[in-house]
Amino acid sequence: MLNLFYASGTSAMAPHILLQDSGLPFTVEKVNLDKKTWAAGNYNQINENSYVPTLQISSTTYLTECAVILEYISEQADQRYSFDHHTAEYWQLRSWANYIATELHKNFISPFRKGNWLPNTAESKQLVWQRVRPRLQFVETHLVTPWLMGSQFTFADPYLFVMTNWMKRLGYSFDQLPKLAQFDINMRQLPSVAHVLQIEGAPHSLTNPTNRKEDDHD
Ligand SMILES: N[C@@H](CCC(=O)N[C@@H](CS)C(=O)NCC(=O)O)C(=O)O
């Protein structure tokens, strides 16, 4: 049984959506990223980098790195969210997953905070926007609706949705990004996405505002 360690509203939402969509049997464990704990204790013993997502795939094996976890889930679902590995589309999909991980996801992270946290001040939000805006433009140029790669819903789509969800959360504008705006709407109409948004609820940093240092707030 696959077991996903997640925190609400984070990149872990991408594998959460894919697991939900796939119909594969899975369980979830909620992580407190502020305290680095989960139901059974110290989360650093699960992932020594103390970030989410982590996917437990056996009693002793824990996968990290969102893009890899997403492809692993797709493989478990008979490559339903991918292409034949001998096709150009497959390598294009791998490029997109890597692009989202390295050019978007990492650039959404505030350079002023310890760990991988979203910006939480006007200044850092502006700095992050300067970095991600041209990279989002690249996606806008190449996105083929309804999904990133056209009619095939792939494992990169829920990852891209995390980015558009963060755009909304951080108050970034979709002006001049109409295809990304439509993509975000399309994603929210999927039953799996609606379900996961409801299950996860408010983003982790907004759920428990007491007992934390100022820097911990998003
Ligand atoms: N390299 C990791 C980064 C994951 C990551 O940035 N996770 C964030 C949430 S989106 C996190 O857990 N941040 C808390 C921390 O670093 O303390 C991946 O690609 O999965």
Side-chain angles (χ1 to χ4, degrees):
M1 170 88 82
L2 300 173
N3 189 21
L4 177 69
F5 291 81
Y6 82 103
S8 302
T10 66
S11 51
M13 187 184 277
H16 198 172
I17 289 169
L18 206 62
L19 283 166
Q20 181 67 32
D21 200 85
S22 70
L24 291 168
F26 72 100
T27 52
V28 291
E29 297 288 352
K30 194 165 188 167
V31 176
N32 183 326
L33 283 179
D34 300 314
K35 296 179 178 161
K36 306 300 182 194
T37 56
W38 65 293
N42 183 358
Y43 180 62
N44 293 332
Q45 290 175 348
I46 303 293
N47 180 339
E48 63 187 272
N49 288 314
S50 64
Y51 50 55
V52 292
T54 302
L55 185 69
Q56 184 176 9
I57 61 171
S58 76
S59 60
T60 53
T61 308
Y62 297 83
L63 281 185
T64 67
E65 308 315 310
C66 194
V68 173
I69 289 172
L70 287 166
E71 181 159 12
Y72 178 85
I73 294 167
S74 177
E75 292 294 302
Q76 298 309 300
D78 300 325
Q79 294 178 10
R80 186 158 128 211
Y81 304 103
S82 184
F83 299 96
D84 185 302
H85 291 192
H86 300 289
T87 62
E89 285 91 349
Y90 172 70
W91 294 105
Q92 186 60 57
L93 171 58
R94 292 288 305 274
S95 292
W96 275 124
N98 210 56
Y99 182 85
I100 296 167
T102 59
E103 299 297 329
L104 287 175
H105 184 175
K106 286 306 283 189
N107 276 311
F108 263 99
I109 302 301
S110 170
F112 302 125
R113 307 183 75 187
K114 196 174 166 218
N116 297 329
W117 293 85
L118 294 181
N120 64 342
T121 63
E123 186 199 3
S124 58
K125 279 184 192 173
Q126 178 61 24
L127 187 64
V128 163
W129 183 232
Q130 280 170 13
R131 289 181 176 180
V132 297
R133 179 64 181 77
R135 291 167 168 91
L136 289 166
Q137 185 62 56
F138 176 78
V139 180
E140 175 72 19
T141 303
H142 295 282
L143 193 152
V144 189
T145 52
W147 311 118
L148 176 57
M149 293 186 67
S151 58
Q152 165 86 24
F153 183 83
T154 71
F155 65 79
D157 288 307
Y159 204 3
L160 183 59
F161 173 67
V162 169
M163 306 301 131
T164 57
N165 195 39
W166 285 351
M167 282 176 71
K168 292 196 158 170
R169 178 171 160 190
L170 294 168
Y172 294 153
S173 169
F174 283 83
D175 278 0
Q176 317 290 322
L177 301 170
K179 286 195 282 179
L180 268 175
Q182 186 58 52
F183 170 84
D184 184 82
I185 292 168
N186 295 344
M187 285 295 297
R188 287 173 200 276
Q189 286 171 350
L190 292 178
S192 54
V193 173
H195 181 79
V196 167
L197 284 170
Q198 198 226 326
I199 294 280
E200 293 201 1
H204 66 92
S205 56
L206 301 179
T207 52
N208 181 21
T210 55
N211 301 325
R212 288 192 282 112
K213 299 190 299 293
E214 186 61 27
D215 184 53
D216 288 337
H217 294 259
D218 271 345

CSV table of all heavy atoms in Angstrom, one decimal, residues 7-13 31 33-34 36 43 47 49-54 64-69 101-102 105-106 109 114-118 159 162-163 166 204, ligand 1:
chain,number,residue,atom,x,y,z
A,7,ALA,N,1.8,17.8,3.5
A,7,ALA,CA,1.2,18.9,4.3
A,7,ALA,C,0.3,19.7,3.4
A,7,ALA,O,0.6,19.8,2.1
A,7,ALA,CB,2.4,19.8,4.8
A,8,SER,N,-0.7,20.3,3.9
A,8,SER,CA,-1.8,20.9,3.1
A,8,SER,C,-1.2,22.0,2.2
A,8,SER,O,-0.5,22.9,2.7
A,8,SER,CB,-2.9,21.5,4.0
A,8,SER,OG,-3.4,20.5,4.8
A,9,GLY,N,-1.7,22.0,0.9
A,9,GLY,CA,-1.4,23.1,0.0
A,9,GLY,C,0.1,23.2,-0.5
A,9,GLY,O,0.5,24.1,-1.2
A,10,THR,N,0.9,22.2,-0.2
A,10,THR,CA,2.3,22.1,-0.6
A,10,THR,C,2.4,21.4,-1.9
A,10,THR,O,1.4,20.9,-2.5
A,10,THR,CB,3.2,21.4,0.4
A,10,THR,OG1,2.7,20.0,0.5
A,10,THR,CG2,3.0,22.0,1.8
A,11,SER,N,3.6,21.2,-2.4
A,11,SER,CA,3.8,20.4,-3.6
A,11,SER,C,3.3,19.0,-3.5
A,11,SER,O,3.1,18.3,-4.5
A,11,SER,CB,5.3,20.4,-4.0
A,11,SER,OG,6.1,20.0,-2.8
A,12,ALA,N,3.2,18.5,-2.2
A,12,ALA,CA,2.7,17.2,-2.0
A,12,ALA,C,1.2,17.0,-2.5
A,12,ALA,O,0.7,15.9,-2.7
A,12,ALA,CB,2.7,16.8,-0.5
A,13,MET,N,0.6,18.1,-2.8
A,13,MET,CA,-0.8,18.1,-3.3
A,13,MET,C,-0.8,17.4,-4.7
A,13,MET,O,-1.7,16.7,-5.1
A,13,MET,CB,-1.4,19.5,-3.4
A,13,MET,CG,-2.8,19.4,-3.8
A,13,MET,SD,-3.5,21.1,-4.1
A,13,MET,CE,-3.9,21.5,-2.4
A,31,VAL,N,1.9,15.8,7.8
A,31,VAL,CA,3.1,16.2,8.5
A,31,VAL,C,2.9,17.6,9.0
A,31,VAL,O,2.3,18.5,8.3
A,31,VAL,CB,4.3,16.2,7.5
A,31,VAL,CG1,5.5,16.7,8.1
A,31,VAL,CG2,4.5,14.7,7.0
A,33,LEU,N,4.9,20.6,9.3
A,33,LEU,CA,6.1,21.1,8.8
A,33,LEU,C,6.8,22.1,9.8
A,33,LEU,O,8.0,22.3,9.7
A,33,LEU,CB,6.0,21.8,7.5
A,33,LEU,CG,5.8,20.9,6.2
A,33,LEU,CD1,5.6,21.7,5.0
A,33,LEU,CD2,7.0,19.9,6.1
A,34,ASP,N,6.0,22.7,10.6
A,34,ASP,CA,6.6,23.7,11.6
A,34,ASP,C,7.4,22.9,12.6
A,34,ASP,O,8.5,23.3,13.0
A,34,ASP,CB,5.5,24.5,12.3
A,34,ASP,CG,4.7,25.3,11.3
A,34,ASP,OD1,5.3,25.9,10.4
A,34,ASP,OD2,3.4,25.2,11.4
A,36,LYS,N,8.1,19.6,12.4
A,36,LYS,CA,8.7,18.4,11.8
A,36,LYS,C,8.3,17.1,12.5
A,36,LYS,O,9.1,16.3,12.8
A,36,LYS,CB,10.3,18.5,11.8
A,36,LYS,CG,10.8,19.8,11.1
A,36,LYS,CD,10.4,19.9,9.7
A,36,LYS,CE,11.0,21.2,9.0
A,36,LYS,NZ,10.3,21.5,7.8
A,43,TYR,N,9.5,13.5,12.0
A,43,TYR,CA,9.4,13.4,10.5
A,43,TYR,C,10.8,13.3,9.9
A,43,TYR,O,10.9,12.7,8.8
A,43,TYR,CB,8.6,14.5,9.9
A,43,TYR,CG,8.4,14.4,8.4
A,43,TYR,CD1,7.8,13.3,7.8
A,43,TYR,CD2,9.0,15.4,7.6
A,43,TYR,CE1,7.7,13.2,6.4
A,43,TYR,CE2,8.9,15.3,6.2
A,43,TYR,CZ,8.2,14.2,5.7
A,43,TYR,OH,8.1,14.1,4.3
A,47,ASN,N,12.1,11.6,6.3
A,47,ASN,CA,12.8,12.3,5.3
A,47,ASN,C,13.8,13.2,5.9
A,47,ASN,O,13.5,14.2,6.6
A,47,ASN,CB,11.8,13.1,4.4
A,47,ASN,CG,12.5,13.9,3.3
A,47,ASN,OD1,13.7,14.2,3.3
A,47,ASN,ND2,11.7,14.3,2.3
A,49,ASN,N,15.7,15.4,4.8
A,49,ASN,CA,15.6,16.8,4.4
A,49,ASN,C,14.4,17.5,5.0
A,49,ASN,O,14.2,18.7,4.7
A,49,ASN,CB,15.6,16.8,2.8
A,49,ASN,CG,16.9,16.5,2.2
A,49,ASN,OD1,18.0,17.0,2.7
A,49,ASN,ND2,16.9,15.6,1.2
A,50,SER,N,13.6,16.8,5.7
A,50,SER,CA,12.4,17.3,6.4
A,50,SER,C,11.4,18.1,5.5
A,50,SER,O,10.8,19.0,6.0
A,50,SER,CB,12.8,18.0,7.6
A,50,SER,OG,13.5,19.2,7.4
A,51,TYR,N,11.4,17.8,4.3
A,51,TYR,CA,10.3,18.4,3.4
A,51,TYR,C,9.4,17.3,2.9
A,51,TYR,O,9.6,16.1,3.0
A,51,TYR,CB,10.9,19.2,2.3
A,51,TYR,CG,12.0,18.6,1.4
A,51,TYR,CD1,11.8,17.4,0.7
A,51,TYR,CD2,13.2,19.3,1.2
A,51,TYR,CE1,12.7,16.9,-0.1
A,51,TYR,CE2,14.2,18.8,0.4
A,51,TYR,CZ,13.9,17.6,-0.3
A,51,TYR,OH,14.9,17.1,-1.2
A,52,VAL,N,8.2,17.8,2.4
A,52,VAL,CA,7.3,16.9,1.8
A,52,VAL,C,7.2,17.2,0.3
A,52,VAL,O,7.6,18.3,-0.1
A,52,VAL,CB,5.8,17.1,2.3
A,52,VAL,CG1,5.8,16.6,3.8
A,52,VAL,CG2,5.4,18.6,2.2
A,53,PRO,N,6.8,16.3,-0.6
A,53,PRO,CA,6.2,15.0,-0.3
A,53,PRO,C,7.3,13.9,-0.1
A,53,PRO,O,8.4,14.0,-0.5
A,53,PRO,CB,5.5,14.6,-1.5
A,53,PRO,CG,6.2,15.3,-2.7
A,53,PRO,CD,6.8,16.6,-2.1
A,54,THR,N,6.9,12.8,0.7
A,54,THR,CA,7.6,11.6,0.7
A,54,THR,C,6.6,10.5,0.4
A,54,THR,O,5.5,10.5,1.0
A,54,THR,CB,8.2,11.3,2.1
A,54,THR,OG1,9.1,12.4,2.4
A,54,THR,CG2,9.0,10.0,2.1
A,64,THR,N,11.6,10.3,-2.3
A,64,THR,CA,11.4,11.7,-2.2
A,64,THR,C,11.5,12.3,-3.6
A,64,THR,O,11.9,11.6,-4.6
A,64,THR,CB,12.4,12.4,-1.3
A,64,THR,OG1,13.7,12.2,-1.9
A,64,THR,CG2,12.4,11.7,0.1
A,65,GLU,N,11.3,13.6,-3.7
A,65,GLU,CA,11.4,14.4,-5.0
A,65,GLU,C,10.1,14.2,-5.8
A,65,GLU,O,9.8,13.2,-6.3
A,65,GLU,CB,12.6,14.1,-5.8
A,65,GLU,CG,13.9,14.1,-5.0
A,65,GLU,CD,14.0,15.4,-4.1
A,65,GLU,OE1,13.8,16.5,-4.6
A,65,GLU,OE2,14.3,15.2,-2.9
A,66,CYS,N,9.4,15.3,-5.8
A,66,CYS,CA,8.0,15.3,-6.3
A,66,CYS,C,7.9,14.8,-7.7
A,66,CYS,O,7.0,13.9,-8.0
A,66,CYS,CB,7.5,16.8,-6.2
A,66,CYS,SG,5.7,16.9,-6.4
A,67,ALA,N,8.8,15.2,-8.6
A,67,ALA,CA,8.7,14.8,-10.0
A,67,ALA,C,8.8,13.2,-10.1
A,67,ALA,O,8.2,12.6,-10.9
A,67,ALA,CB,9.7,15.5,-10.9
A,68,VAL,N,9.7,12.7,-9.3
A,68,VAL,CA,10.0,11.3,-9.4
A,68,VAL,C,8.8,10.5,-8.8
A,68,VAL,O,8.4,9.5,-9.3
A,68,VAL,CB,11.3,10.9,-8.6
A,68,VAL,CG1,11.5,9.4,-8.5
A,68,VAL,CG2,12.5,11.6,-9.3
A,69,ILE,N,8.3,11.0,-7.7
A,69,ILE,CA,7.1,10.4,-7.0
A,69,ILE,C,5.9,10.3,-8.0
A,69,ILE,O,5.2,9.3,-8.1
A,69,ILE,CB,6.8,11.2,-5.7
A,69,ILE,CG1,7.8,10.9,-4.7
A,69,ILE,CG2,5.4,10.8,-5.2
A,69,ILE,CD1,7.7,11.8,-3.4
A,101,ALA,N,9.9,21.3,-11.7
A,101,ALA,CA,10.6,21.1,-10.4
A,101,ALA,C,11.7,22.1,-10.2
A,101,ALA,O,11.9,22.7,-9.2
A,101,ALA,CB,11.2,19.6,-10.4
A,102,THR,N,12.5,22.3,-11.3
A,102,THR,CA,13.7,23.2,-11.1
A,102,THR,C,13.5,24.6,-11.4
A,102,THR,O,14.1,25.5,-10.8
A,102,THR,CB,14.9,22.6,-12.0
A,102,THR,OG1,14.5,22.6,-13.3
A,102,THR,CG2,15.2,21.2,-11.6
A,105,HIS,N,9.0,25.3,-9.3
A,105,HIS,CA,8.9,25.0,-7.9
A,105,HIS,C,10.0,25.6,-7.1
A,105,HIS,O,9.7,26.3,-6.1
A,105,HIS,CB,8.9,23.4,-7.8
A,105,HIS,CG,8.7,22.9,-6.4
A,105,HIS,ND1,8.6,21.6,-6.1
A,105,HIS,CD2,8.6,23.5,-5.2
A,105,HIS,CE1,8.4,21.4,-4.8
A,105,HIS,NE2,8.4,22.6,-4.2
A,106,LYS,N,11.2,25.4,-7.5
A,106,LYS,CA,12.3,26.0,-6.7
A,106,LYS,C,12.4,27.5,-6.7
A,106,LYS,O,12.8,28.1,-5.7
A,106,LYS,CB,13.7,25.4,-7.1
A,106,LYS,CG,14.0,24.0,-6.8
A,106,LYS,CD,13.8,23.7,-5.3
A,106,LYS,CE,15.0,24.2,-4.4
A,106,LYS,NZ,14.8,23.7,-3.0
A,109,ILE,N,10.3,29.3,-4.1
A,109,ILE,CA,10.7,29.2,-2.7
A,109,ILE,C,11.4,30.6,-2.4
A,109,ILE,O,12.2,31.1,-3.1
A,109,ILE,CB,11.7,28.1,-2.6
A,109,ILE,CG1,11.1,26.7,-2.9
A,109,ILE,CG2,12.3,28.0,-1.2
A,109,ILE,CD1,9.9,26.4,-2.2
A,114,LYS,N,14.7,29.8,5.9
A,114,LYS,CA,15.3,28.5,6.0
A,114,LYS,C,14.4,27.4,5.5
A,114,LYS,O,13.2,27.4,5.9
A,114,LYS,CB,15.6,28.3,7.5
A,114,LYS,CG,16.7,27.3,7.8
A,114,LYS,CD,17.0,27.3,9.3
A,114,LYS,CE,17.7,26.0,9.6
A,114,LYS,NZ,17.4,25.4,10.9
A,115,GLY,N,15.0,26.5,4.8
A,115,GLY,CA,14.1,25.4,4.2
A,115,GLY,C,13.4,25.8,2.9
A,115,GLY,O,13.8,26.8,2.3
A,116,ASN,N,12.5,25.1,2.5
A,116,ASN,CA,11.7,25.4,1.3
A,116,ASN,C,10.3,25.9,1.6
A,116,ASN,O,9.4,25.2,1.7
A,116,ASN,CB,11.6,24.1,0.4
A,116,ASN,CG,12.9,23.5,0.0
A,116,ASN,OD1,13.9,24.3,-0.2
A,116,ASN,ND2,13.0,22.2,-0.1
A,117,TRP,N,10.3,27.2,1.8
A,117,TRP,CA,9.0,27.9,2.1
A,117,TRP,C,8.7,29.0,1.1
A,117,TRP,O,9.6,29.6,0.6
A,117,TRP,CB,9.1,28.5,3.5
A,117,TRP,CG,9.3,27.5,4.6
A,117,TRP,CD1,10.4,26.9,5.1
A,117,TRP,CD2,8.2,26.9,5.4
A,117,TRP,NE1,10.2,26.1,6.1
A,117,TRP,CE2,8.8,26.0,6.3
A,117,TRP,CE3,6.8,27.1,5.5
A,117,TRP,CZ2,8.1,25.3,7.3
A,117,TRP,CZ3,6.1,26.4,6.4
A,117,TRP,CH2,6.7,25.5,7.3
A,118,LEU,N,7.4,29.2,0.9
A,118,LEU,CA,7.0,30.2,0.0
A,118,LEU,C,7.3,31.6,0.6
A,118,LEU,O,7.5,31.7,1.8
A,118,LEU,CB,5.4,30.1,-0.2
A,118,LEU,CG,4.9,28.9,-1.0
A,118,LEU,CD1,3.4,29.0,-1.1
A,118,LEU,CD2,5.6,28.8,-2.3
A,159,TYR,N,1.3,18.7,-11.0
A,159,TYR,CA,2.4,19.5,-10.5
A,159,TYR,C,2.3,20.9,-11.0
A,159,TYR,O,2.5,21.8,-10.2
A,159,TYR,CB,3.7,18.8,-11.0
A,159,TYR,CG,5.0,19.1,-10.3
A,159,TYR,CD1,5.0,19.8,-9.1
A,159,TYR,CD2,6.2,18.6,-10.7
A,159,TYR,CE1,6.2,20.0,-8.3
A,159,TYR,CE2,7.4,18.8,-10.0
A,159,TYR,CZ,7.4,19.5,-8.8
A,159,TYR,OH,8.5,19.8,-8.1
A,162,VAL,N,-0.2,22.8,-8.9
A,162,VAL,CA,0.4,23.3,-7.6
A,162,VAL,C,0.9,24.7,-7.8
A,162,VAL,O,0.7,25.6,-7.0
A,162,VAL,CB,1.5,22.4,-7.0
A,162,VAL,CG1,2.2,23.1,-5.9
A,162,VAL,CG2,0.9,21.1,-6.5
A,163,MET,N,1.5,25.0,-9.0
A,163,MET,CA,2.1,26.3,-9.3
A,163,MET,C,1.0,27.3,-9.5
A,163,MET,O,1.1,28.4,-9.0
A,163,MET,CB,3.0,26.2,-10.5
A,163,MET,CG,4.1,25.2,-10.5
A,163,MET,SD,5.2,25.4,-9.1
A,163,MET,CE,5.3,23.8,-8.4
A,166,TRP,N,-0.5,28.1,-6.2
A,166,TRP,CA,0.4,29.0,-5.4
A,166,TRP,C,0.3,30.5,-6.0
A,166,TRP,O,0.3,31.4,-5.2
A,166,TRP,CB,1.8,28.6,-5.5
A,166,TRP,CG,2.1,27.4,-4.6
A,166,TRP,CD1,1.3,26.8,-3.6
A,166,TRP,CD2,3.3,26.6,-4.6
A,166,TRP,NE1,1.9,25.8,-3.0
A,166,TRP,CE2,3.2,25.6,-3.6
A,166,TRP,CE3,4.5,26.7,-5.3
A,166,TRP,CZ2,4.2,24.7,-3.3
A,166,TRP,CZ3,5.5,25.8,-5.0
A,166,TRP,CH2,5.4,24.8,-4.0
A,204,HIS,N,-1.0,24.6,5.0
A,204,HIS,CA,-0.4,24.2,6.3
A,204,HIS,C,0.0,25.4,7.2
A,204,HIS,O,-0.3,25.4,8.4
A,204,HIS,CB,0.8,23.3,6.1
A,204,HIS,CG,1.9,24.0,5.4
A,204,HIS,ND1,2.9,24.7,6.1
A,204,HIS,CD2,2.2,24.2,4.1
A,204,HIS,CE1,3.8,25.2,5.3
A,204,HIS,NE2,3.4,25.0,4.0
B,1,LIG,N1,13.3,18.9,-3.7
B,1,LIG,C1,12.0,18.6,-3.1
B,1,LIG,C2,11.5,19.9,-2.5
B,1,LIG,C3,10.1,19.7,-1.8
B,1,LIG,C4,9.7,21.0,-1.1
B,1,LIG,O1,10.1,22.1,-1.5
B,1,LIG,N2,8.8,20.9,-0.1
B,1,LIG,C5,8.3,22.0,0.6
B,1,LIG,C6,6.8,22.2,0.5
B,1,LIG,S1,6.3,22.6,-1.2
B,1,LIG,C7,8.5,21.8,2.1
B,1,LIG,O2,8.3,20.7,2.6
B,1,LIG,N3,9.1,22.8,2.8
B,1,LIG,C8,9.3,22.7,4.2
B,1,LIG,C9,10.8,22.8,4.6
B,1,LIG,O3,11.6,22.8,3.7
B,1,LIG,O4,11.0,22.9,5.8
B,1,LIG,C10,11.0,18.1,-4.2
B,1,LIG,O5,11.2,18.3,-5.4
B,1,LIG,O6,10.0,17.3,-3.8
